[in-house]
Amino acid sequence: MLAEWLDQGLEGRAPSRSEGRIAGGRFRLLAPGVLELAPDTPATGARACVLSVGIHGNETAPMELLGEVLARLEAGLLRLGAPLLVILGNPEAIQRGQRCVATNLNRLFRRDLDQAGDEPDRARVLMAEVDAFYARHPGRERLHYDLHTAIRDSRFPRFVVEPFTATPTPAEQWRWLAGAGIQAVLHQHRHSWTFSHHSKHYHGAAAFTLELGRALPFGHNDLAPLAPMGRMLEALLEGRVPATGEPGTMAFFRVEHELLRHSEAFRLCFPDDTPNFSEFPPGTLLAEDAVAGETRVGDTALSVVFPNAQVEIGARAALLVVPSPPPG
Ligand SMILES: O=C(O)CCC(=O)N[C@@H](CCC(=O)O)C(=O)O
Ligand SMILES: [Zn+2]
Protein backbone atom coordinates (compact mmCIF):
# COMPACT_ATOMS: atom_id res chain seq x y z
CA MET A 1 0.00 0.00 0.00
CA LEU A 2 2.78 2.50 0.88
CA ALA A 3 4.91 1.96 -2.21
CA GLU A 4 1.62 1.88 -4.13
CA TRP A 5 0.71 5.26 -2.57
CA LEU A 6 3.91 6.69 -3.99
CA ASP A 7 3.35 5.14 -7.44
CA GLN A 8 -0.26 6.32 -7.54
CA GLY A 9 0.84 9.82 -6.56
CA LEU A 10 3.44 9.81 -9.33
CA GLU A 11 0.80 8.75 -11.83
CA GLY A 12 -1.98 11.02 -10.53
CA ARG A 13 -4.29 8.18 -9.45
CA ALA A 14 -6.30 8.27 -6.23
CA PRO A 15 -4.95 5.87 -3.58
CA SER A 16 -7.01 2.75 -2.92
CA ARG A 17 -6.92 3.01 0.89
CA SER A 18 -6.57 6.07 3.09
CA GLU A 19 -5.48 4.39 6.31
CA GLY A 20 -4.32 1.10 7.72
CA ARG A 21 -1.67 -0.82 9.65
CA ILE A 22 2.03 -1.31 8.98
CA ALA A 23 4.72 -2.98 11.09
CA GLY A 24 4.93 -1.02 14.34
CA GLY A 25 2.14 1.47 13.67
CA ARG A 26 -0.45 3.00 11.36
CA PHE A 27 -0.50 5.03 8.18
CA ARG A 28 -2.99 7.73 7.22
CA LEU A 29 -3.34 9.84 4.07
CA LEU A 30 -3.87 13.42 5.16
CA ALA A 31 -4.05 15.17 1.77
CA PRO A 32 -2.99 14.33 -1.80
CA GLY A 33 0.69 13.41 -1.58
CA VAL A 34 0.82 13.72 2.21
CA LEU A 35 1.20 10.52 4.23
CA GLU A 36 1.49 10.28 8.01
CA LEU A 37 3.15 7.29 9.68
CA ALA A 38 2.34 7.01 13.39
CA PRO A 39 4.21 4.46 15.53
CA ASP A 40 2.36 2.49 18.24
CA THR A 41 5.27 3.17 20.58
CA PRO A 42 7.87 5.73 19.51
CA ALA A 43 11.45 4.66 20.25
CA THR A 44 13.27 6.62 22.94
CA GLY A 45 14.75 9.74 21.36
CA ALA A 46 12.90 9.25 18.05
CA ARG A 47 12.60 12.48 16.06
CA ALA A 48 9.42 13.89 14.52
CA CYS A 49 10.60 13.61 10.91
CA VAL A 50 9.38 15.29 7.75
CA LEU A 51 10.76 13.65 4.60
CA SER A 52 9.84 15.42 1.37
CA VAL A 53 10.57 14.55 -2.26
CA GLY A 54 9.33 15.90 -5.59
CA ILE A 55 9.13 19.57 -4.62
CA HIS A 56 10.61 19.82 -8.11
CA GLY A 57 8.75 17.38 -10.34
CA ASN A 58 11.69 16.19 -12.47
CA GLU A 59 13.97 15.25 -9.53
CA THR A 60 13.27 11.54 -9.51
CA ALA A 61 16.12 9.83 -7.60
CA PRO A 62 14.79 10.87 -4.16
CA MET A 63 11.34 9.51 -5.08
CA GLU A 64 12.87 6.17 -6.08
CA LEU A 65 14.98 6.09 -2.90
CA LEU A 66 12.02 6.85 -0.64
CA GLY A 67 9.92 4.31 -2.57
CA GLU A 68 12.48 1.61 -1.69
CA VAL A 69 12.39 2.56 2.01
CA LEU A 70 8.57 2.50 2.10
CA ALA A 71 8.53 -0.85 0.29
CA ARG A 72 10.85 -2.30 2.95
CA LEU A 73 8.56 -1.00 5.70
CA GLU A 74 5.54 -2.47 3.98
CA ALA A 75 7.29 -5.84 3.56
CA GLY A 76 7.90 -5.95 7.32
CA LEU A 77 11.70 -5.58 6.91
CA LEU A 78 11.54 -2.34 8.91
CA ARG A 79 9.49 -1.50 11.98
CA LEU A 80 8.10 2.00 12.47
CA GLY A 81 9.55 3.65 15.57
CA ALA A 82 9.21 7.38 14.86
CA PRO A 83 6.45 9.76 13.76
CA LEU A 84 6.95 10.57 10.10
CA LEU A 85 5.32 12.91 7.62
CA VAL A 86 6.13 11.79 4.08
CA ILE A 87 5.46 14.34 1.35
CA LEU A 88 5.25 14.14 -2.41
CA GLY A 89 5.76 17.84 -3.03
CA ASN A 90 4.35 18.86 -6.40
CA PRO A 91 2.24 15.97 -7.85
CA GLU A 92 1.13 17.93 -10.92
CA ALA A 93 4.73 18.78 -11.87
CA ILE A 94 5.81 15.17 -11.15
CA GLN A 95 3.15 13.82 -13.52
CA ARG A 96 4.34 16.24 -16.21
CA GLY A 97 8.00 15.40 -15.53
CA GLN A 98 8.72 19.11 -15.11
CA ARG A 99 10.57 21.12 -12.48
CA CYS A 100 7.41 23.14 -11.87
CA VAL A 101 4.03 23.93 -13.43
CA ALA A 102 4.02 27.74 -13.31
CA THR A 103 6.52 28.86 -10.70
CA ASN A 104 9.20 27.44 -8.40
CA LEU A 105 7.35 25.91 -5.41
CA ASN A 106 10.54 26.03 -3.35
CA ARG A 107 10.46 29.83 -3.02
CA LEU A 108 6.91 30.07 -1.65
CA PHE A 109 7.14 28.73 1.92
CA ARG A 110 6.35 31.93 3.78
CA ARG A 111 3.37 32.56 6.03
CA ASP A 112 2.57 35.92 4.44
CA LEU A 113 2.36 34.33 0.96
CA ASP A 114 -0.45 36.09 -0.94
CA GLN A 115 0.10 34.77 -4.50
CA ALA A 116 -2.65 32.83 -6.30
CA GLY A 117 -2.08 29.74 -8.44
CA ASP A 118 -1.35 26.01 -8.29
CA GLU A 119 2.06 26.22 -6.66
CA PRO A 120 1.11 28.89 -4.10
CA ASP A 121 -1.97 26.78 -3.18
CA ARG A 122 0.24 23.70 -2.82
CA ALA A 123 2.70 25.63 -0.63
CA ARG A 124 -0.17 26.63 1.69
CA VAL A 125 -1.38 23.01 1.96
CA LEU A 126 2.14 21.75 2.72
CA MET A 127 2.85 24.47 5.28
CA ALA A 128 -0.44 23.70 7.06
CA GLU A 129 0.33 19.93 7.11
CA VAL A 130 3.84 20.47 8.46
CA ASP A 131 2.59 22.96 11.09
CA ALA A 132 -0.11 20.49 12.24
CA PHE A 133 2.34 17.54 12.27
CA TYR A 134 4.89 19.26 14.48
CA ALA A 135 2.04 20.51 16.74
CA ARG A 136 0.97 16.87 17.24
CA HIS A 137 4.46 16.09 18.62
CA PRO A 138 5.27 18.75 21.19
CA GLY A 139 8.50 18.18 23.09
CA ARG A 140 9.95 15.87 20.45
CA GLU A 141 13.04 16.94 18.48
CA ARG A 142 12.13 17.94 14.94
CA LEU A 143 13.80 17.09 11.68
CA HIS A 144 13.10 17.86 8.03
CA TYR A 145 15.10 16.50 5.10
CA ASP A 146 13.87 17.90 1.78
CA LEU A 147 15.40 15.66 -0.89
CA HIS A 148 16.32 17.04 -4.32
CA THR A 149 18.67 16.49 -7.25
CA ALA A 150 20.51 19.22 -9.12
CA ILE A 151 20.31 20.32 -12.75
CA ARG A 152 24.10 20.12 -13.28
CA ASP A 153 27.02 17.95 -12.33
CA SER A 154 28.82 18.96 -9.19
CA ARG A 155 32.35 18.79 -7.80
CA PHE A 156 30.48 17.40 -4.76
CA PRO A 157 27.61 15.29 -6.19
CA ARG A 158 25.90 14.96 -2.79
CA PHE A 159 25.62 18.15 -0.73
CA VAL A 160 23.22 19.93 1.59
CA VAL A 161 22.03 23.52 1.82
CA GLU A 162 21.62 24.66 5.42
CA PRO A 163 18.87 27.29 5.56
CA PHE A 164 19.66 30.58 7.26
CA THR A 165 17.79 31.08 10.57
CA ALA A 166 18.57 31.94 14.17
CA THR A 167 18.19 28.26 15.20
CA PRO A 168 21.62 26.59 15.47
CA THR A 169 21.99 23.18 13.82
CA PRO A 170 22.63 20.37 16.37
CA ALA A 171 26.24 19.11 16.07
CA GLU A 172 25.01 15.51 15.61
CA GLN A 173 23.59 16.52 12.21
CA TRP A 174 27.09 16.93 10.73
CA ARG A 175 28.01 13.42 11.91
CA TRP A 176 24.77 11.93 10.54
CA LEU A 177 25.12 13.69 7.19
CA ALA A 178 28.75 12.61 6.84
CA GLY A 179 27.65 9.05 7.68
CA ALA A 180 24.98 9.27 4.96
CA GLY A 181 27.55 10.08 2.27
CA ILE A 182 27.11 13.85 2.08
CA GLN A 183 30.26 15.48 0.69
CA ALA A 184 29.68 19.22 1.17
CA VAL A 185 27.60 21.68 3.20
CA LEU A 186 26.51 25.12 2.03
CA HIS A 187 25.36 27.63 4.70
CA GLN A 188 22.78 30.11 3.43
CA HIS A 189 23.43 33.77 4.29
CA ARG A 190 19.83 34.97 4.44
CA HIS A 191 16.22 33.79 4.58
CA SER A 192 15.39 31.89 1.41
CA TRP A 193 11.73 30.75 1.96
CA THR A 194 12.42 27.19 0.85
CA PHE A 195 10.55 24.20 2.33
CA SER A 196 13.42 23.24 4.65
CA HIS A 197 13.74 26.89 5.73
CA HIS A 198 10.06 26.80 6.75
CA SER A 199 10.64 23.91 9.17
CA LYS A 200 13.79 25.47 10.61
CA HIS A 201 12.55 29.06 10.81
CA TYR A 202 9.01 28.49 12.12
CA HIS A 203 9.51 25.21 14.03
CA GLY A 204 13.15 25.08 15.13
CA ALA A 205 13.66 21.81 13.24
CA ALA A 206 17.06 20.58 12.14
CA ALA A 207 16.37 21.03 8.43
CA PHE A 208 18.24 20.85 5.14
CA THR A 209 17.76 20.79 1.40
CA LEU A 210 19.65 17.67 0.29
CA GLU A 211 21.03 17.54 -3.26
CA LEU A 212 21.53 13.87 -4.16
CA GLY A 213 23.18 13.88 -7.57
CA ARG A 214 21.82 15.00 -10.94
CA ALA A 215 18.18 15.19 -12.03
CA LEU A 216 17.47 12.32 -14.47
CA PRO A 217 14.25 10.68 -15.73
CA PHE A 218 12.70 7.77 -13.79
CA GLY A 219 14.61 4.54 -14.36
CA HIS A 220 17.89 6.30 -15.22
CA ASN A 221 19.11 6.86 -11.66
CA ASP A 222 22.02 4.97 -10.13
CA LEU A 223 20.86 4.58 -6.53
CA ALA A 224 24.09 2.81 -5.42
CA PRO A 225 25.83 6.03 -4.23
CA LEU A 226 22.67 6.81 -2.23
CA ALA A 227 22.75 3.55 -0.24
CA PRO A 228 24.17 5.25 2.91
CA MET A 229 21.45 7.91 2.60
CA GLY A 230 18.81 5.18 2.34
CA ARG A 231 20.19 3.59 5.51
CA MET A 232 19.94 6.91 7.32
CA LEU A 233 16.28 7.30 6.29
CA GLU A 234 15.59 3.76 7.53
CA ALA A 235 17.24 4.50 10.87
CA LEU A 236 15.15 7.66 11.31
CA LEU A 237 11.97 5.72 10.43
CA GLU A 238 12.78 3.06 13.03
CA GLY A 239 13.68 5.70 15.63
CA ARG A 240 17.32 4.57 15.74
CA VAL A 241 20.40 6.81 15.80
CA PRO A 242 21.77 6.82 12.22
CA ALA A 243 25.32 5.69 11.42
CA THR A 244 27.77 8.52 11.92
CA GLY A 245 30.74 9.75 9.88
CA GLU A 246 33.55 12.24 10.36
CA PRO A 247 32.33 15.82 9.62
CA GLY A 248 35.90 16.69 8.57
CA THR A 249 35.36 14.60 5.43
CA MET A 250 32.83 17.20 4.21
CA ALA A 251 33.74 20.52 2.56
CA PHE A 252 32.01 23.55 4.11
CA PHE A 253 31.00 26.68 2.20
CA ARG A 254 28.95 29.80 2.89
CA VAL A 255 27.02 31.98 0.47
CA GLU A 256 28.84 35.24 -0.13
CA HIS A 257 26.42 36.69 -2.65
CA GLU A 258 23.18 35.78 -4.39
CA LEU A 259 23.16 36.62 -8.09
CA LEU A 260 19.68 37.71 -9.20
CA ARG A 261 18.29 37.99 -12.70
CA HIS A 262 17.00 41.56 -13.07
CA SER A 263 16.11 41.73 -16.78
CA GLU A 264 15.30 39.80 -19.94
CA ALA A 265 18.79 40.66 -21.17
CA PHE A 266 20.59 38.58 -18.56
CA ARG A 267 23.34 36.07 -19.29
CA LEU A 268 25.84 34.01 -17.39
CA CYS A 269 29.34 34.35 -18.85
CA PHE A 270 30.42 30.72 -18.43
CA PRO A 271 29.25 27.53 -20.15
CA ASP A 272 25.80 26.15 -19.26
CA ASP A 273 27.25 22.82 -18.18
CA THR A 274 29.64 24.32 -15.60
CA PRO A 275 29.50 21.96 -12.58
CA ASN A 276 28.34 23.23 -9.19
CA PHE A 277 31.18 24.48 -6.93
CA SER A 278 33.39 25.42 -9.92
CA GLU A 279 35.76 28.15 -8.74
CA PHE A 280 36.47 31.39 -10.63
CA PRO A 281 39.52 33.57 -9.89
CA PRO A 282 39.43 37.30 -9.00
CA GLY A 283 38.37 39.54 -11.87
CA THR A 284 36.36 36.88 -13.80
CA LEU A 285 33.24 38.23 -15.50
CA LEU A 286 30.36 36.04 -14.23
CA ALA A 287 27.19 37.71 -15.51
CA GLU A 288 25.80 40.58 -17.54
CA ASP A 289 22.38 42.10 -16.93
CA ALA A 290 20.70 45.06 -18.70
CA VAL A 291 19.64 46.47 -15.30
CA ALA A 292 22.35 45.35 -12.84
CA GLY A 293 25.30 45.56 -15.25
CA GLU A 294 28.33 43.31 -14.87
CA THR A 295 29.01 40.94 -11.99
CA ARG A 296 32.70 40.17 -11.56
CA VAL A 297 34.59 38.18 -8.96
CA GLY A 298 36.19 40.64 -6.48
CA ASP A 299 39.47 40.11 -4.63
CA THR A 300 38.58 36.61 -3.43
CA ALA A 301 37.88 33.62 -5.66
CA LEU A 302 34.20 32.58 -5.81
CA SER A 303 32.56 29.25 -6.58
CA VAL A 304 29.25 29.01 -8.39
CA VAL A 305 26.31 26.87 -7.21
CA PHE A 306 22.91 26.39 -8.97
CA PRO A 307 23.72 28.61 -11.98
CA ASN A 308 20.59 29.06 -14.09
CA ALA A 309 20.11 31.99 -16.46
CA GLN A 310 16.56 30.86 -17.34
CA VAL A 311 14.95 31.70 -13.98
CA GLU A 312 12.09 34.21 -13.70
CA ILE A 313 13.07 37.88 -13.53
CA GLY A 314 13.73 38.75 -9.88
CA ALA A 315 14.70 35.15 -9.02
CA ARG A 316 18.05 33.68 -8.01
CA ALA A 317 20.28 32.88 -10.99
CA ALA A 318 23.24 31.54 -8.98
CA LEU A 319 24.75 31.39 -5.52
CA LEU A 320 28.32 32.68 -5.25
CA VAL A 321 30.05 30.86 -2.43
CA VAL A 322 33.36 30.72 -0.54
CA PRO A 323 34.90 28.02 1.69
CA SER A 324 34.02 28.39 5.38
CA PRO A 325 35.40 26.76 8.54
CA PRO A 326 33.59 23.62 9.75
CA PRO A 327 31.07 24.44 12.52
CA GLY A 328 32.05 24.08 16.18
O1 LIG B 1 20.43 22.55 -9.80
C1 LIG B 1 19.83 23.59 -9.67
O2 LIG B 1 20.15 24.63 -10.28
C2 LIG B 1 18.65 23.67 -8.73
C3 LIG B 1 18.55 22.52 -7.77
C4 LIG B 1 17.52 22.86 -6.72
O3 LIG B 1 16.36 22.65 -6.96
N1 LIG B 1 17.97 23.45 -5.63
C5 LIG B 1 17.12 23.93 -4.61
C6 LIG B 1 17.95 24.48 -3.49
C7 LIG B 1 17.10 25.03 -2.37
C8 LIG B 1 17.89 25.76 -1.31
O4 LIG B 1 18.54 26.77 -1.65
O5 LIG B 1 17.82 25.35 -0.15
C9 LIG B 1 16.23 25.04 -5.17
O6 LIG B 1 16.70 25.80 -6.03
O7 LIG B 1 15.08 25.13 -4.76
ZN1 LIG C 1 15.16 20.73 -6.52
Side-chain angles (χ1 to χ4, degrees):
M1 166 62 209
L2 297 185
E4 192 193 342
W5 164 78
L6 192 67
D7 288 344
Q8 286 162 334
L10 304 182
E11 290 160 15
R13 286 184 287 124
S16 52
R17 252 189 322 143
S18 63
E19 57 187 316
R21 280 210 61 81
I22 37 166
R26 301 191 64 78
F27 73 86
R28 192 160 62 111
L29 299 184
L30 302 178
V34 182
L35 172 73
E36 182 185 42
L37 303 179
D40 298 328
T41 315
T44 310
R47 308 299 197 267
C49 300
V50 177
L51 299 178
S52 46
V53 297
I55 288 291
H56 295 129
N58 61 339
E59 298 178 1
T60 59
M63 302 183 227
E64 292 183 355
L65 184 69
L66 190 64
E68 286 190 355
V69 173
L70 293 179
R72 283 171 60 76
L73 174 64
E74 196 163 15
L77 299 170
L78 300 170
R79 187 172 181 80
L80 188 65
L84 238 74
L85 193 68
V86 183
I87 292 177
L88 204 51
N90 192 340
E92 180 67 33
I94 294 168
Q95 285 143 37
R96 296 185 190 195
Q98 294 172 190
R99 181 168 169 83
C100 60
V101 176
T103 191
N104 187 352
L105 175 59
N106 210 20
R107 301 292 179 273
L108 302 179
F109 291 93
R110 52 191 310 156
R111 287 190 173 161
D112 60 356
L113 177 72
D114 58 5
Q115 278 169 253
D118 287 353
E119 268 117 358
D121 287 346
R122 186 63 178 162
R124 278 183 279 271
V125 167
L126 296 184
M127 285 191 281
E129 292 294 350
V130 167
D131 295 351
F133 172 72
Y134 285 136
R136 287 195 289 279
H137 301 286
R140 191 170 288 288
E141 280 187 55
R142 296 164 175 183
L143 187 68
H144 182 174
Y145 290 154
D146 182 30
L147 311 184
H148 290 243
T149 49
I151 296 170
R152 285 168 191 74
D153 281 333
S154 177
R155 278 179 58 212
F156 305 101
R158 295 177 301 285
F159 64 99
V160 300
V161 182
E162 183 198 26
F164 171 87
T165 71
T167 314
T169 293
E172 71 189 9
Q173 281 301 313
W174 310 124
R175 295 192 290 274
W176 293 9
L177 291 168
I182 292 296
Q183 299 157 307
V185 175
L186 175 56
H187 306 286
Q188 263 287 8
H189 68 321
R190 65 178 197 186
H191 297 285
S192 48
W193 312 111
T194 60
F195 199 15
S196 59
H197 174 273
H198 172 89
S199 293
K200 194 172 185 218
H201 180 58
Y202 295 115
H203 298 289
F208 298 91
T209 306
L210 284 75
E211 298 290 349
L212 303 178
R214 255 192 96 165
L216 294 169
F218 282 114
H220 291 75
N221 297 301
D222 176 11
L223 295 188
L226 301 184
M229 178 62 56
R231 288 194 287 274
M232 175 165 78
L233 301 182
E234 292 183 357
L236 291 171
L237 182 148
E238 294 201 308
R240 289 184 281 112
V241 176
T244 58
E246 174 49 54
T249 60
M250 299 190 292
F252 287 82
F253 294 86
R254 66 177 166 79
V255 178
E256 177 77 13
H257 181 67
E258 196 172 40
L259 184 59
L260 301 181
R261 176 182 188 182
H262 290 283
S263 71
E264 282 297 338
F266 173 87
R267 73 176 194 98
L268 293 169
C269 304
F270 48 85
D272 252 8
D273 59 355
T274 299
N276 285 323
F277 295 99
S278 294
E279 190 180 273
F280 293 94
T284 310
L285 179 62
L286 293 177
E288 288 175 327
D289 187 287
V291 172
E294 288 185 356
T295 300
R296 280 184 189 274
V297 181
D299 293 339
T300 309
L302 291 174
S303 300
V304 171
V305 178
F306 302 143
N308 188 353
Q310 310 309 323
V311 293
E312 297 160 58
I313 291 175
R316 168 175 101 193
L319 292 173
L320 306 178
V321 315
V322 292
S324 74

